[in-house]
Amino acid sequence: DSGVTQTPKHLITATGQRVTLRCSPRSGDLSVYWYQQSLDQGLQFLIQYYNGEERAKGNILERFSAQQFPDLHSELNLSSLELGDSALYFCASSVGRQGPNSPLHFGNGTRLTVT
Amino acid sequence: AQSVAQPEDQVNVAEGNPLTVKCTYSVSGNPYLFWYVQYPNRGLQFLLKYITGDNLVKGSYGFEAEFNKSQTSFHLKKPSALVSDSALYFCAVRAGYSSASKIIFGSGTRLSIRP
């Protein structure tokens, strides 16, 4: 068990809808990362937060947004959903203070299916 | 820009034989490299990380990785493969010099160990 909790595990919704994915990092971890994993692709970095502030942005669509709250949990909001948004969405956390060698710890992901 | 490549989509090995999963990287400055494993329907699990000065790094489940600066490689190895090692393996590099930098993942290599 990595200590990173993601909810829900599965989400089925229709095109055009909006969903929110939630992540609770490991206790003590300040950094939260979001990744998208599609069938044909590897892990695509979406966005990273550190102690409530956005630190890095990847190939995140304008329809997607995220935030990290004062209690350090994070939410990824996906709106105007399209069929191509169907994927596994992973959250990962790291301490952030241990330097660039600190590894990421991943949750088990949320599987989003858009129909 | 920092990048990492895994040249093989799939590696097949007989149980008991040694295995190698290849990874090459491109960074400016010191590399911060990691290996992760993903089992079906699970998140990624941290296996090991490169530690500056160590050309052979030991990690979890009997895995090790060989760092070669001249070849810019960080290959994952195990002396004797187990069927339970069958999984998806990702090499990753931190795209910067701080723990706040994003981590970029390779495309993944599917390792299949036959009994």
Side-chain angles (χ1 to χ4, degrees), chain A residues 9-53:
Chain A
K9 282 187 177 178
H10 301 278
L11 204 46
I12 302 174
T13 189
T15 54
Q17 295 298 305
R18 172 190 165 96
V19 298
T20 296
L21 313 183
R22 183 187 166 101
C23 169
S24 294
R26 286 190 326 162
S27 176
D29 283 1
L30 299 177
S31 274
V32 169
Y33 302 72
W34 286 98
Y35 288 86
Q36 179 192 56
Q37 185 179 36
S38 303
L39 267 178
D40 297 335
Q41 298 178 13
L43 279 166
Q44 301 296 318
F45 170 72
L46 294 177
I47 197 163
Q48 180 211 351
Y49 285 84
Y50 176 79
N51 205 19
E53 292 187 4

Side-chain angles (χ1 to χ4, degrees), chain B:
Chain B
Q2 328 287 51
S3 66
V4 64
Q6 294 180 244
E8 300 158 317
D9 289 338
Q10 174 115 10
V11 170
N12 300 308
V13 177
E15 188 176 27
N17 282 0
L19 69 87
T20 298
V21 183
K22 295 179 180 176
C23 171
T24 58
Y25 65 89
S26 173
V27 302
S28 50
N30 291 327
Y32 298 101
L33 298 159
F34 308 85
W35 274 103
Y36 288 82
V37 59
Q38 184 181 24
Y39 297 100
N41 300 314
R42 301 296 301 270
L44 278 70
Q45 294 178 34
F46 168 69
L47 274 181
L48 53 81
K49 64 183 179 184
Y50 172 61
I51 299 171
T52 304
D54 287 353
N55 287 343
L56 189 64
V57 179
K58 293 194 184 298
S60 306
Y61 311 121
F63 282 93
E64 54 193 27
E66 189 173 27
F67 175 78
N68 187 313
K69 188 173 182 178
S70 63
Q71 296 184 4
T72 61
S73 65
F74 189 56
H75 299 334
L76 183 69
K77 295 174 181 284
K78 189 172 183 181
S80 178
L82 300 173
V83 172
S84 58
D85 293 331
S86 298
L88 190 55
Y89 289 80
F90 290 95
C91 183
V93 65
R94 193 175 285 279
Y97 309 115
S98 79
S99 57
S101 306
K102 63 185 179 184
I103 291 187
I104 298 170
F105 286 80
S107 55
T109 298
R110 189 163 299 281
L111 178 63
S112 177
I113 310 298
R114 60 184 184 274

